[in-house]
């Protein structure tokens, strides 16, 4: 039997994980530093070659992504409502699908660093939501 608090902990951990992982993407200067000082050297050190330079379009969409995920993370942490886990789990499913498409299209295998936690959190949050909804009328009604 899974204690009722486990899905809630997973929900909170996933929000904190999102904040930790996405904050560099939210602002142009942090994205440039993260790309040039972390991602590119890591890719090269693994023998995967140099990553392409970020152009204005890549930067714009990375900043959109970072900003939206940070706001969504803060909403989940402040509202502290486990019913939001189903939405987060579904969104993670979509994110995972698009990362899978990118991997099959030839993007750097470093994407696996992001894909594995996305899939894990998606499955855990969706399963946790349905587990809670079977046991809690207020979740089932939401």
């Amino acid at each position: 039997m899974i204690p009722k608090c486990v899905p809630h902990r997973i929900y909170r951990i996933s929000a904190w994980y999102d904040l930790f992982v996405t904050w560099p993407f939210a602002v142009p200067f942090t994205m440039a530093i993260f790309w040039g000082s972390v991602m590119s050297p890591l890719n090269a050190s693994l023998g995967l070659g140099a990553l392409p330079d970020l152009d204005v379009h890549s930067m714009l969409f990375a900043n959109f992504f970072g900003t939206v995920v940070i706001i969504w993370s803060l909403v989940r942490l402040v509202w502290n409502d486990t019913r939001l886990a189903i939405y987060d789990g579904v969104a993670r499913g979509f994110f995972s699908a698009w990362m899978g498409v990118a991997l099959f299209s030839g993007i750097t295998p470093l994407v696996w660093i992001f894909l594995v936690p996305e899939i894990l959190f998606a499955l855990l949050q969706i399963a946790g939501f349905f587990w809670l909804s079977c046991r809690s009328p207020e979740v089932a009604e939401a």
Side-chain angles (χ1 to χ4, degrees):
M1 182 68 111
I2 301 171
K4 193 173 181 178
C5 63
V6 171
H8 184 256
R9 285 186 189 146
I10 292 167
Y11 164 80
R12 302 268 309 167
I13 289 167
S14 74
W16 283 110
Y17 166 82
D18 286 347
L19 281 175
F20 177 75
V21 169
T22 59
W23 72 266
F25 294 90
V27 181
F29 74 87
T30 56
M31 180 60 194
I33 292 168
F34 180 69
W35 191 259
S37 300
V38 176
M39 294 299 289
S40 289
L42 180 58
N43 203 61
S45 71
L46 294 173
L48 301 172
L51 290 176
D53 291 334
L54 289 173
D55 66 2
V56 67
H57 302 95
S58 302
M59 184 68 78
L60 175 67
F61 285 98
N63 296 154
F64 284 166
F65 153 76
T67 303
V68 168
V69 172
I70 284 173
I71 297 300
W72 174 241
S73 299
L74 292 172
V75 164
R76 290 181 291 146
L77 289 168
V78 171
W79 286 0
N80 200 26
D81 186 345
T82 310
R83 292 176 296 180
L84 296 175
I86 191 68
Y87 301 105
D88 191 61
V90 169
R92 287 177 188 280
F94 280 113
F95 273 52
S96 298
W98 310 149
M99 284 188 254
V101 168
L103 281 164
F104 284 114
S105 299
I107 200 168
T108 176
L110 281 182
V111 170
W112 283 102
I113 295 170
F114 300 100
L115 179 57
V116 170
E118 284 299 312
I119 292 171
L120 183 64
F121 280 129
L123 294 174
L124 289 173
Q125 288 189 110
I126 291 170
F129 175 84
F130 285 110
W131 182 84
L132 283 176
S133 66
C134 291
R135 284 152 184 77
S136 176
E138 66 271 5
V139 173
E141 293 170 7

